[in-house]
């Protein structure tokens, strides 16, 4: 990408898209194409075709998607499959049709088999059954990876895809029914503290282990790959270390300075027992995470909940 390149960030209002935009602006890029979902519904084939026809972007970051935590994935199963397939089919196909130089597609670490051996290497893709609660979302993302891969093979495109681990950072979603575990816990503990509640209920057993990456680190990794990587292997992006949900809850309790008790609701599903990515490929390409979990959560908590 050159500084004058026309860059379309699909989903620029979201957590990932906004981090890419911040990062590229810092690097001196200025020529952005940005459309909210209200301005351009990416599930609409005709509108997406017209947009690419008139704007002809050079580079595309495809970070628009229907995204949510375990409850949302499990409840809105049809929507997660349909909307994600439509968004990615439209954007990837029009990127091919209008000769986009390079596209980066955001998949997710939940596309790996539920019982993949840990840490999960890129070659574990399609080697076993998926976690049932997010199967529709994972099927859509796998289709997106395969679309990129096969457009490269058939048409000579330069479309790459990445598998980020669980992300957190500015512009995260804090809706308690629809959010991922880390922002949901931050909000629960914060509200319990300011409302002087003696307990906080947390879903599941606390046993599963998860890996968390600050979205600004993802933006740096994405930039590295956009500049230096063009293979068909979808690249894992993570820290290579994980933490149990129990320990995460204790860490957030400490950061928020909440003095009450944690109650575990075992009626809620745990999801995949462990999901740690093997990050040796991205590390070998010269990128490593830089924001430690405790520092990252402190920064997010201060900016989101403590600053006026
Ligand atoms: N969050 C994570 O932990 C995580 C982990 C791994 C991978 N990822 C991947 O990263 C990507 C971005 O995730 P995120 O966390 O940034 O999600 P997000 O904050 O929910 O942002 C998603 C964006 O997609 C846009 N969008 C949704 N439906 C659209 C439609 N029909 N037409 C146009 N735009 C639409 C939304 O635009 P508006 O705001 O304008 O409505 C929103 O800004 C996703 O592909 C996700 O799978 C995320």
């Amino acid at each position: 990408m050159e500084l004058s390149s026309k860059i379309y960030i699909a989903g620029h209002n979201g957590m990932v898209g906004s981090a890419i935009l911040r990062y590229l602006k810092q690097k001196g890029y200025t020529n952005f194409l940005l459309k909210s979902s209200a301005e351009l519904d990416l599930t609409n084939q005709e509108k997406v075709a017209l947009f690419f026809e008139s704007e002809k972007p050079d580079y595309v970051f495809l970070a628009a998607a229907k995204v949510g935590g375990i409850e949302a994935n499990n409840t809105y199963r049809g929507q997660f499959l349909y909307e994600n397939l439509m968004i990615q089919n439209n954007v990837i196909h029009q990127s091919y049709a209008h000769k986009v130089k390079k596209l980066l597609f955001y998949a997710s670490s939940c596309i790996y088999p539920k019982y993949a051996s840990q840490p999960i290497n890129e070659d574990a893709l399609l080697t076993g059954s998926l976690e049932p609660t997010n199967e529709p979302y994972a099927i859509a993302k796998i289709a997106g990876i395969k679309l990129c891969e096969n457009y490269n093979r058939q048409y000579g495109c330069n479309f790459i895809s990445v598998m980020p681990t669980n992300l957190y950072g500015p512009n995260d979603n804090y809706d308690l029914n629809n959010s991922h575990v880390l922002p949901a816990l931050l909000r629960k503990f914060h509200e319990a503290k300011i409302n002087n509640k003696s307990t906080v209920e947390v879903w599941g057993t606390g046993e599963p282990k998860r890996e968390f990456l600050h979205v600004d680190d993802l933006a740096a990794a994405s930039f590295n790959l956009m500049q230096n990587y063009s293979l068909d292997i979808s690249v894992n992006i993570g820290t290579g270390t994980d933490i149990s949900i129990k320990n995460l809850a204790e860490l957030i309790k400490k950061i928020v300075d909440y003095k009450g008790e944690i109650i575990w609701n075992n009626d809620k599903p745990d999801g995949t027992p462990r999901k740690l990515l093997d990050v040796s490929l991205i590390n070998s390409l010269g990128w490593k995470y830089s924001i430690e979990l405790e520092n990252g959560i402190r920064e997010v908590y201060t900016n989101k909940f403590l600053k006026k």
Side-chain angles (χ1 to χ4, degrees):
M1 289 187 301
E2 287 161 18
L3 289 181
S4 59
S5 299
K6 198 173 197 181
I7 301 169
Y8 173 40
I9 304 175
H12 73 286
N13 288 320
M15 179 166 61
V16 171
S18 60
I20 302 293
L21 183 58
R22 275 196 307 278
Y23 189 87
L24 293 177
K25 280 182 174 170
Q26 273 170 18
K27 288 264 167 198
Y29 290 85
T30 52
N31 193 359
F32 298 107
L33 277 172
L34 307 169
K35 294 275 177 197
S36 68
S37 60
E39 293 167 319
L40 175 63
D41 177 2
L42 293 172
T43 64
N44 185 313
Q45 189 178 28
E46 200 183 336
K47 286 187 178 156
V48 178
L50 285 172
F51 170 74
F52 273 81
E53 171 70 41
S54 67
E55 298 291 355
K56 296 199 172 23
D58 296 316
Y59 294 89
V60 173
F61 289 85
L62 176 41
K66 185 164 182 64
V67 178
I70 191 167
E71 183 89 353
N73 268 276
N74 202 16
T75 309
Y76 307 109
R77 298 177 70 90
Q79 276 175 273
F80 269 81
L81 184 54
Y82 176 78
E83 290 179 31
N84 284 313
L85 283 172
M86 293 300 284
I87 290 170
Q88 65 203 36
N89 281 351
N90 288 335
V91 174
I92 293 169
H93 183 75
Q94 292 306 326
S95 294
Y96 146 67
H98 294 285
K99 300 189 170 50
V100 162
K101 290 178 184 155
K102 193 162 179 178
L103 172 146
L104 190 155
F105 170 63
Y106 289 93
S108 165
S109 59
C110 68
I111 64 164
Y112 285 120
K114 178 166 181 169
Y115 296 109
S117 60
Q118 309 284 324
I120 310 172
N121 186 266
E122 283 86 356
D123 63 16
L125 184 63
L126 291 173
T127 58
S129 324
L130 300 164
E131 155 61 36
T133 50
N134 62 28
E135 189 193 82
Y137 177 77
I139 294 278
K141 291 291 181 187
I142 293 169
I145 291 171
K146 290 294 168 187
L147 202 59
C148 290
E149 185 184 313
N150 289 294
Y151 271 40
N152 292 345
R153 288 193 192 176
Q154 184 175 351
Y155 303 122
C157 298
N158 189 359
F159 296 168
I160 60 172
S161 44
V162 296
M163 255 95 81
T165 189
N166 304 290
L167 303 169
Y168 70 99
N171 298 324
D172 209 342
N173 171 8
Y174 290 88
D175 176 335
L176 286 183
N177 290 314
N178 197 16
S179 56
H180 291 113
V181 57
L182 194 155
L185 289 178
L186 264 179
R187 181 168 162 190
K188 277 188 181 182
F189 282 106
H190 177 71
E191 288 181 354
K193 182 185 171 183
I194 57 175
N195 295 318
N196 288 319
K197 283 191 163 174
S198 57
T199 60
V200 163
E201 183 191 286
V202 183
W203 290 357
T205 62
E207 299 302 327
K209 295 182 92 178
R210 290 289 183 272
E211 179 182 7
F212 296 94
L213 179 73
H214 194 286
V215 72
D216 287 348
D217 275 337
L218 175 70
S222 305
F223 181 72
N224 179 322
L225 293 172
M226 204 55 154
Q227 297 294 60
N228 303 315
Y229 182 82
S230 290
L231 299 179
D232 278 339
I233 302 167
S234 182
V235 186
N236 288 342
I237 306 181
T239 62
T241 55
D242 58 4
I243 179 171
S244 72
I245 299 299
K246 212 160 241 163
N247 287 342
L248 177 72
E250 293 294 344
L251 178 63
I252 292 179
K253 185 177 171 220
K254 180 178 96 177
I255 289 169
V256 171
D257 192 26
Y258 172 68
K259 305 287 186 210
E261 194 194 335
I262 301 174
I263 310 280
W264 294 93
N265 179 351
N266 297 350
D267 294 338
K268 293 286 182 184
D270 265 345
T272 305
R274 197 173 179 211
K275 222 171 60 171
L276 177 64
L277 293 180
D278 177 346
V279 289
S280 42
L281 174 57
I282 181 89
N283 288 167
S284 75
L285 297 168
W287 174 89
K288 191 176 182 297
Y289 82 101
S290 67
I291 304 172
E292 293 298 340
L293 185 60
E294 182 164 349
N295 297 340
I297 298 177
R298 273 192 199 284
E299 173 229 289
V300 167
Y301 179 61
T302 305
N303 288 331
K304 172 74 188 171
F305 293 98
L306 302 183
K307 280 190 183 160
K308 291 246 164 115

